[in-house]
Amino acid sequence: MAFQFTHFNFNVSDLQKSLSFYDKALGLKEKRRIQAEDNSYTIVYLTDGQSNFELELTYLPSHPQKYDLGECEFHLALVAPDFAAAKAKHEAMGCICFVNEAMGIYFIEDPDGYWIEIIPPQLAPQA
């Protein structure tokens, strides 16, 4: 039996702020949305427009505060085709939270404290 990755979820405290961040920082766009009839939740799926993998943002109006992320020992990773330009953009945005010079990668932090690893093409897994 073979399984295939489809999406990864982040719960967010401010959907509009998160949508803006992911668009500006990573160019991720809304692909589809699920809205509860009673407005108890909104789920938005973001896409890079190139792969089938999606980032799911779940917004619960009853939980407006940031989520407790524990020790933040998890992350999403994206490859930046132009690593230097991506890093300069993220530096200008002030969202870089950790740089690992030895590994040649860095991390950005979204409005809720989730870390996203940015990888140069030469370190990306090859299909």
Side-chain angles (χ1 to χ4, degrees), residues 79-113:
V79 176
D82 186 338
F83 187 79
K87 190 172 182 189
K89 175 181 185 168
H90 294 144
E91 285 172 341
M93 289 178 65
C95 62
I96 294 178
C97 58
F98 181 72
V99 176
N100 187 324
E101 295 289 348
M103 291 183 71
I105 62 173
Y106 68 92
F107 291 80
I108 61 174
E109 186 173 1
D110 88 346
D112 285 282

Side-chain angles (χ1 to χ4, degrees), residues 35-41:
Q35 181 67 55
E37 287 184 24
D38 65 357
N39 290 321
S40 60
Y41 66 86

Side-chain angles (χ1 to χ4, degrees), residues 21-96:
F21 173 83
Y22 282 100
D23 182 28
K24 183 176 179 184
L26 301 169
L28 301 182
K29 306 289 185 196
E30 182 174 335
K31 183 176 181 181
R32 57 194 169 98
R33 179 182 290 238
I34 299 170
Q35 181 67 55
E37 287 184 24
D38 65 357
N39 290 321
S40 60
Y41 66 86
T42 304
I43 299 173
V44 177
Y45 294 91
L46 303 179
T47 179
D48 61 13
Q50 301 173 61
S51 68
N52 291 327
F53 187 82
E54 298 171 328
L55 176 59
E56 173 188 313
L57 301 181
T58 300
Y59 171 64
L60 305 170
S62 63
H63 195 286
Q65 70 275 26
K66 287 188 178 183
Y67 287 85
D68 180 355
L69 304 182
E71 294 184 23
C72 220
E73 287 299 323
F74 56 89
H75 63 270
L76 186 64
L78 286 88
V79 176
D82 186 338
F83 187 79
K87 190 172 182 189
K89 175 181 185 168
H90 294 144
E91 285 172 341
M93 289 178 65
C95 62
I96 294 178

